[in-house]
Amino acid sequence: LYPNDPDHSAWYFLPIQRGRPSWIGPFPATSLNEMLICSYVVPIYKSGTFIGLLGMDIPLDTIVELVSSIHVYDTGFACLLDADGTVIYHPELQMGSTFGSSIDNELFKRDTSEGMLIRYKSSTGVDRQMSFTTLSTGMKLVVVAPVEEINASSRMLTNATLPIAITVVGVIALLGFLVMGRLTD
């Protein structure tokens, strides 16, 4: 193990350097035919002295399966980014890519989108909005939905209430003319 070789020994040195439980990965596990793994590693201390590590490896496929099961509206989805905004899982983008020029990756340096919906245009030209939060793993869970689907319920409500409002205004105007006619007779 070499502290200056993060590709092969981060699972060991990172939790010790941080002095707390840490998520590491995803990284290819040499012993598992390069399967992508995320590790949760806890440094163990006795009387302030480091005595070892306790860790658990989770295949990235297991995490992706959980994230890919999240659906928003009809065609919305969830995706997973690393702490720098690089794609770990996205149903349309390749692992290692970014959202591209439509979103400034500096945005993902924050812990959350702070309750804001962030609007962007997808690579297929669809207007979308997203919100994100940082998980305890350091990864970003991003929820994405098309603007069209987000606004559909308010459009439907407007279309339903507009004829009613016009009818009510018309009835009130008609009653006003009738009352005025009786008062002036």
Side-chain angles (χ1 to χ4, degrees):
L1 296 175
Y2 302 98
N4 295 329
D5 184 10
D7 291 340
H8 296 97
S9 53
W11 64 270
Y12 183 83
F13 291 103
L14 191 60
I16 295 170
Q17 289 169 352
R18 290 180 177 167
R20 60 181 165 79
S22 299
W23 282 94
I24 296 115
F27 60 91
T30 315
S31 61
L32 297 171
N33 295 327
E34 302 300 310
M35 176 190 293
L36 292 175
I37 297 292
C38 292
S39 294
Y40 184 69
V41 184
V42 180
I44 300 171
Y45 298 90
K46 181 176 182 180
S47 302
T49 302
F50 173 75
I51 60 172
L53 293 171
L54 178 64
M56 173 177 67
D57 291 337
I58 303 168
L60 180 61
D61 290 346
T62 302
I63 297 170
V64 166
E65 188 176 313
L66 292 170
V67 173
S68 67
S69 68
I70 299 171
H71 299 284
V72 184
Y73 295 101
D74 292 332
T75 61
F77 56 87
C79 59
L80 203 57
L81 309 178
D82 68 13
D84 297 320
T86 304
V87 172
I88 294 173
Y89 163 75
H90 190 291
E92 299 168 352
L93 301 175
Q94 292 290 326
M95 183 177 195
S97 64
T98 63
F99 274 86
S101 61
S102 60
I103 294 182
D104 181 10
N105 254 26
E106 288 297 312
L107 174 72
F108 297 114
K109 301 287 185 200
R110 301 183 199 162
D111 284 337
T112 71
S113 55
E114 300 165 353
M116 298 181 327
L117 286 177
I118 301 152
R119 185 172 249 178
Y120 74 101
K121 191 171 286 289
S122 74
S123 58
T124 59
V126 176
D127 285 328
R128 292 182 174 159
Q129 289 184 325
M130 74 160 88
S131 185
F132 70 90
T133 191
T134 302
L135 305 173
S136 64
T137 62
M139 297 177 197
K140 310 287 183 185
L141 178 65
V142 183
V143 178
V144 178
V147 171
E148 179 87 13
E149 291 177 24
I150 293 170
N151 294 336
S153 59
S154 64
R155 255 191 328 276
M156 188 173 69
L157 183 61
T158 300
N159 291 342
T161 57
L162 189 59
I164 294 169
I166 291 171
T167 303
V168 167
V169 168
V171 168
I172 290 172
L174 181 62
L175 287 173
F177 285 125
L178 290 174
V179 169
M180 292 299 275
R182 291 212 176 219
L183 289 176
T184 56
D185 283 341

